[in-house]
Amino acid sequence: MKGKNLRVTDTRPNIIALRLDASFFFERAVRSLDRNHYDKALKYFRKAVEYEPDNPVNHANMAGILSEMGDYQGSNEVLESILKNVNPSMTECYFYMANNYANMEQFEAAEKALVTYLEEDEEGQFLEEAEDMMELLYYELNRPAKLNRIKARQGVVEHDQARLLLEEGKFAQAAKLLEQISGDQPDLLAARNNLALSYYYMGMFEKAKETILQVLQDEPGNLHALCNLAIFYQNEGGGPHLDALLESLTVIVPFQQDQVFKLGTTMGILGRHEEAYRHFRRLLKDGENKADASLYHYAAVAASNTGRYAEAERLWELVKKLDPESETPRFYLSRLNELRRMGRSIEKLSYHYHLPFDEQFKLWEKYGSRSVPDEMKKDPLVRSSFFWALRHGDDATKSQVIQALAMIGDEEVREALGLLLADVSQAPAVRERARAALEGMDVRQTSAFAPLSDVALAEQPLKQGAAAANPQIQAVLDKAFSVMGKRYDTAQQNDLKDLWLEYLDRISPEGFTIQHVEGWAAALEYLTAKMHHTRATYREIADRYGISVSTVSRYARQIDSVCGIKQKIAQRFPSFTERV
């Protein structure tokens, strides 16, 4: 057509070129994660790694997805590659690896990775989570981790480890660790305070006093040190130094709970029972202490020692409910009622949460020579009274203590008896008894475990209501005993049986159906091992019974939810030691 220009229009749509780079695939991966599409997220993170192989964050994200998908081994391979080939300073990888190993129940490897994280990481980003995992590993491995230092909290956790040893009655081990900490960090006064206590509990009074005086030279107002010094002065027989110190301590009203407890305990030990009662009542008014049986005992003792007998009885009744397995509240309630009936005044009582020394031996005799009750084995104050008597008691008392300690038979007992045997100033009869005890401990150690009693526990059927009427309930015990074999002694098998009875009693076994005999038996063995601090993992127990780890774990959790085993194991007596 003339006079008209033909215009050709480009009808193609606008095209925006995609920029395929690491950021693109990272965004796609995050979007997939939000939709719980883990397979797609993993694919996109892998592409991000291809585009930026030197970026450790992309690798770490890929490791995280693998862990979420349950591929813990694959996740650890990626994390090891980061540390080896990409960024060796990315120390948080060790924490992630520890989590993966723990999920695989490879607790030794988890401990190694976690210790490396704590010793190498400066920032402490996962410090709180690492401490929680350390508690889990302590429970699974039945020992504290071999941790030399924590870079993000230099000295603090090492001190906590030493304090735990001290509270468990392992005074010599605690002293060695505290000596090292005090040498490396002399400004950590809590470590030196606890070092003085460890010396004191071992009967090394002069060394304890020397250590505490050095603390007070550096910090004259240190309350824990002043309380410790007052105890040491009393041990020397009192005098003007103790009187002056007591007058100063009487007017102090501390704010922190651990200081209130320390001062209350100190006042009680020093015979200032009214002040002790006041401090313990302050602690009981705090909601955090409502489940602390030993604190109620201390308050009950202070009440009794100040003539508040009705209050003491009420408090000991609470102790009995909070700690039903302990002999201590029963003894004091019985003693209180006996003296009331006789119309006699009640003597001043000790503040330690255990039986009086003479009663400990009566209880030991009640149990016979085959085993020492757990209350005597585990209470650090009981152990300290034994070690004190071993150093400072008369020959008759030393002989009794040697006999009892031989039944405990751990490494610290061995060391204490060895020192006694080497001390030529001891009476020949005492040294001979120490020698015989050490030889007996060696014999027990060479034989795998103490022999079972004449009547095997597995042959003693349950005789308890519905339990006796349900053969499957007895079958659980039979299975447990047959698998446990000689790995466990008579007392441990008795505890397993008692735990099963306790569980059945609490759930009312009428109509109770046993669908998995091996699962219940394995769970009972696992929890019994933990109660006796015997090494056992879910994997080991599961393999012995031919079942899965999840089955053992499920039944163990069910028993624990009813009987509170882990809570009982984790329960700690209030500490006379000082926290950082």
Side-chain angles (χ1 to χ4, degrees):
M1 294 176 58
K2 286 186 178 181
K4 295 212 177 177
N5 295 325
L6 183 64
R7 181 182 298 173
V8 179
T9 303
D10 189 349
T11 60
R12 290 178 302 170
N14 292 329
I15 298 175
I16 301 175
L18 288 176
R19 185 179 178 185
L20 299 178
D21 57 9
S23 297
F24 171 81
F25 289 109
F26 174 84
E27 290 173 3
R28 289 295 179 94
V30 171
R31 199 176 307 162
S32 297
L33 274 180
D34 290 339
R35 297 182 177 127
N36 294 321
H37 296 161
Y38 291 107
D39 289 337
K40 285 186 177 181
L42 179 61
K43 179 181 71 173
Y44 288 132
F45 275 132
R46 279 181 171 150
K47 294 294 292 183
V49 167
E50 289 179 12
Y51 277 89
E52 287 186 0
D54 295 331
N55 186 342
V57 174
N58 293 328
H59 293 266
N61 286 327
M62 189 166 66
I65 291 295
L66 288 169
S67 182
E68 287 289 335
M69 296 173 68
D71 186 0
Y72 304 118
Q73 184 62 42
S75 176
N76 274 355
E77 289 172 1
V78 174
L79 293 168
E80 288 173 356
S81 176
I82 294 173
L83 292 166
K84 183 178 180 180
N85 304 315
V86 183
N87 186 358
S89 66
M90 197 169 174
T91 51
E92 59 265 37
C93 289
Y94 291 110
F95 175 74
Y96 301 140
M97 290 167 65
N99 274 281
N100 286 332
Y101 282 127
N103 284 321
M104 292 188 285
E105 295 197 357
Q106 298 179 22
F107 298 116
E108 296 278 358
E111 179 188 59
K112 182 178 179 181
L114 190 62
V115 166
T116 303
Y117 168 73
L118 291 170
E119 291 186 346
E120 300 299 330
D121 185 75
E122 294 183 353
E123 302 300 324
Q125 178 183 356
F126 300 107
L127 189 56
E128 185 174 343
E129 294 87 345
E131 290 175 345
D132 290 340
M133 192 185 300
M134 195 68 76
E135 288 186 14
L136 167 68
L137 296 177
Y138 178 85
Y139 181 79
E140 290 293 343
L141 298 173
N142 292 314
R143 58 169 173 75
K146 300 171 183 176
L147 186 63
N148 294 320
R149 66 191 176 105
I150 288 188
K151 205 165 189 176
R153 290 178 62 196
Q154 185 66 34
V156 175
V157 173
E158 295 89 330
H159 173 261
D160 287 345
Q161 182 181 340
R163 190 175 54 80
L164 180 61
L165 289 169
L166 189 56
E167 292 180 7
E168 289 176 343
K170 299 175 181 177
F171 308 121
Q173 294 178 48
K176 290 175 184 176
L177 185 52
L178 289 165
E179 285 169 350
Q180 179 183 337
I181 296 171
S182 299
D184 294 340
Q185 294 181 270
D187 292 337
L188 191 60
L189 299 185
R192 289 158 63 190
N193 265 329
N194 289 331
L195 176 59
L197 280 178
S198 66
Y199 290 147
Y200 176 78
Y201 286 141
M202 290 190 291
M204 303 165 65
F205 301 131
E206 285 302 320
K207 204 167 184 179
K209 182 179 173 183
E210 177 185 343
T211 303
I212 215 69
L213 287 173
Q214 290 173 353
V215 171
L216 289 170
Q217 282 182 357
D218 294 336
E219 188 178 296
N222 187 293
L223 181 60
H224 278 266
L226 290 170
C227 288
N228 289 340
L229 183 60
I231 301 296
F232 300 163
Y233 280 150
Q234 185 195 49
N235 183 72
E236 293 178 341
H241 291 301
L242 176 59
D243 294 339
L245 184 51
L246 261 177
E247 291 306 314
S248 300
L249 292 174
T250 301
V251 298
I252 294 176
V253 183
F255 176 74
Q256 297 178 3
Q257 283 202 355
D258 67 315
Q259 292 186 341
V260 177
F261 177 79
K262 177 78 173 187
L263 188 55
T265 308
T266 301
M267 286 297 182
I269 293 172
L270 296 175
R272 304 296 285 263
H273 304 298
E274 194 65 46
E275 289 87 348
Y277 180 76
R278 187 176 70 246
H279 291 307
F280 290 134
R281 291 298 300 175
R282 278 185 63 198
L283 290 173
L284 288 178
K285 289 179 181 178
D286 192 302
E288 295 181 7
N289 299 306
K290 292 299 184 185
D292 194 334
S294 52
L295 180 57
Y296 280 95
H297 168 74
Y298 301 137
V301 171
S304 176
N305 288 343
T306 54
R308 299 176 172 94
Y309 301 129
E311 174 70 357
E313 183 177 22
R314 184 186 71 83
L315 290 168
W316 272 315
E317 289 289 353
L318 288 171
V319 176
K320 194 166 66 171
K321 291 179 181 178
L322 291 170
D323 192 4
E325 296 178 1
S326 175
E327 295 281 349
T328 302
R330 293 182 180 85
F331 167 78
Y332 283 108
L333 283 169
S334 174
R335 183 68 173 156
L336 187 66
N337 292 329
E338 178 186 351
L339 292 174
R340 274 177 166 176
R341 285 195 304 268
M342 297 170 62
R344 291 170 51 189
S345 60
I346 300 173
E347 69 274 13
K348 300 303 181 187
L349 304 177
S350 166
Y351 283 84
H352 296 327
Y353 185 42
H354 60 63
L355 297 177
F357 196 69
D358 291 341
E359 293 299 320
Q360 293 168 25
F361 282 106
K362 289 179 184 177
L363 187 62
W364 175 74
E365 290 168 357
K366 169 187 171 184
Y367 278 74
S369 60
R370 289 170 299 168
S371 64
V372 173
D374 283 346
E375 187 167 357
M376 294 174 67
K377 282 184 180 180
K378 297 175 183 178
D379 188 337
L381 294 173
V382 173
R383 290 172 64 98
S384 70
S385 68
F386 281 177
F387 287 124
W388 181 92
L390 201 61
R391 286 178 175 271
H392 304 284
D394 56 31
D395 290 347
T397 300
K398 287 178 182 178
S399 295
Q400 279 186 304
V401 168
I402 291 169
Q403 193 176 2
L405 288 176
M407 294 300 105
I408 297 174
D410 59 22
E411 188 57 37
E412 190 153 45
V413 167
R414 184 184 299 276
E415 183 177 338
L417 293 180
L419 291 173
L420 190 70
L421 179 60
D423 186 357
V424 295
S425 66
Q426 298 292 334
V430 171
R431 295 177 67 199
E432 174 60 26
R433 188 173 286 276
R435 182 195 61 75
L438 285 167
E439 288 180 356
M441 290 162 59
D442 290 336
V443 168
R444 285 203 308 278
Q445 194 172 42
T446 53
S447 59
F449 286 93
L452 296 177
S453 58
D454 294 335
V455 181
L457 288 174
E459 297 174 2
Q460 300 179 16
L462 294 174
K463 297 177 181 179
Q464 181 165 324
N470 187 341
Q472 289 294 90
I473 290 178
Q474 177 64 45
V476 170
L477 272 188
D478 294 341
K479 184 66 179 178
F481 290 145
S482 67
V483 174
M484 292 167 75
K486 293 185 178 180
R487 285 187 298 271
Y488 297 81
D489 61 22
T490 307
Q492 291 166 328
Q493 292 196 35
N494 262 323
D495 284 347
L496 182 144
K497 183 176 180 180
D498 290 343
L499 175 58
W500 188 222
L501 287 173
E502 179 185 355
Y503 177 76
L504 295 172
D505 181 61
R506 292 193 180 193
I507 64 168
S508 300
E510 291 80 4
F512 179 56
T513 303
I514 301 291
Q515 296 180 339
H516 203 310
V517 169
E518 290 80 5
W520 287 106
L524 287 169
E525 180 180 341
Y526 177 81
L527 292 172
T528 301
K530 294 307 176 186
M531 286 191 293
H532 286 269
H533 302 287
T534 301
R535 174 181 165 76
T537 66
Y538 284 131
R539 171 59 60 192
E540 292 169 348
I541 300 291
D543 289 345
R544 285 206 284 270
Y545 286 83
I547 59 179
S548 68
V549 168
S550 61
T551 299
V552 184
S553 174
R554 182 171 72 254
Y555 285 109
R557 286 198 305 270
Q558 192 165 335
I559 295 172
D560 182 49
S561 68
V562 173
C563 300
I565 302 303
K566 292 183 180 179
Q567 183 179 358
K568 292 175 184 176
I569 295 171
Q571 184 180 8
R572 291 277 182 264
F573 295 113
S575 171
F576 198 63
T577 60
E578 181 181 0
R579 297 177 182 269
V580 174

